[in-house]
Amino acid sequence: MTINFKKFNNLGTKINSHIPICEDICLDEYCLKKGKYVYELFAGVVHSGSSGGGHYVAHTKRNNQWYYFSDSHFKASSFNNLRTSSPYVIFYRRVNF
């Protein structure tokens, strides 16, 4: 599941509002078909700069470890680093189904 947050207004000005994100979400009560609908966050993309230019970085989770990627560089990271960087797109995968 992909969630994209609007980060620029109609005039092209960047919206810097913080949006809280969760590492896991459960959507059971919102689904018509009974079952387990649990999703875990596994990636996010962050933009720094303005609508006229900037830089994109990615945070990904593999084997329960978060990583930060910027161009050809990467390093170990954490969910908290993604959460506080205000991502504009986040990716969840379904678990426990």
Side-chain angles (χ1 to χ4, degrees), residues 34-79:
K34 296 296 180 199
K36 288 288 184 189
Y37 297 92
V38 178
Y39 295 80
E40 72 169 341
L41 183 68
F42 73 94
V45 178
V46 177
H47 176 265
S48 59
S50 66
S51 61
H55 184 69
Y56 293 92
V57 299
H59 296 259
T60 64
K61 183 180 179 183
R62 182 173 178 164
N63 297 327
N64 292 319
Q65 172 62 56
W66 282 94
Y67 296 93
Y68 168 88
F69 293 88
S70 177
D71 295 332
S72 62
H73 305 299
F74 73 95
K75 62 182 179 180
S77 187
S78 69
F79 167 68

Side-chain angles (χ1 to χ4, degrees), residues 5-7 14-20 83 85-88:
F5 301 108
K6 183 177 179 180
K7 295 303 257 180
K14 188 167 185 180
I15 301 168
N16 288 313
S17 301
H18 176 73
I19 300 168
R83 184 183 61 79
S85 62
S86 193
Y88 86 95

